[in-house]
C-alpha cells in the first residue's frame, strides 16, 4: 500500500508501505519481496487478519454500543446550561 493518505494509520504494521504510489521502483521492490519471501507473505497475511478485526461488524457494533451507553450517562446540554 502507499504511505500516502490515511493508509499508515489504517494498516499500521500490517502492510508493506511502499512510499508514494508514483514511485514504480518502490512498488516493484515491495512486490518482488512478497513474491520471493513466503515467510514475509505469511506474516503480512497473519497481521492483516488481526488488523481486519478492528473493522469487523462485531467490533463496530461493540464500539457503537459503548458510545451509546456513554451518551446515556451524559446530561443534556440544555440541563447543563440551566444549572
Amino acid at each position: 500500500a502507499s504511505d500516502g493518505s490515511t493508509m499508515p494509520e489504517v494498516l499500521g504494521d500490517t502492510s508493506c508501505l511502499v512510499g508514494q504510489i508514483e514511485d514504480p521502483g518502490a512498488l516493484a521492490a515491495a512486490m518482488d519481496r512478497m513474491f520471493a519471501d513466503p515467510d514475509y507473505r505469511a506474516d503480512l497475511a497473519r497481521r492483516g487478519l488481526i488488523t481486519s478485526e478492528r473493522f469487523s461488524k462485531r467490533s463496530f457494533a461493540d464500539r457503537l454500543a459503548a458510545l451509546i451507553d456513554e451518551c446515556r450517562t451524559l446530561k443534556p446540554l440544555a440541563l447543563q446550561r440551566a444549572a
Side-chain angles (χ1 to χ4, degrees):
S2 169
D3 68 359
S5 187
T6 61
M7 292 319 254
E9 290 83 8
V10 172
L11 299 174
D13 70 347
T14 63
S15 173
C16 60
L17 296 172
V18 297
Q20 295 301 317
I21 199 70
E22 296 84 15
D23 184 354
L27 181 58
M31 291 174 71
D32 283 346
R33 180 176 181 199
M34 283 192 294
F35 289 133
D37 188 342
D39 292 333
Y40 180 63
R41 278 195 313 271
D43 187 51
L44 285 176
R46 181 188 58 78
R47 290 185 289 150
L49 286 174
I50 292 168
T51 296
S52 71
E53 286 300 313
R54 292 185 346 201
F55 303 100
S56 71
K57 291 178 187 177
R58 171 58 33 204
S59 177
F60 173 77
D62 290 345
R63 290 192 317 261
L64 181 59
L67 178 62
I68 290 170
D69 288 343
E70 182 180 337
C71 289
R72 286 182 179 149
T73 65
L74 299 175
K75 250 185 173 176
L77 188 56
L79 293 177
Q80 290 177 22
R81 288 183 182 152

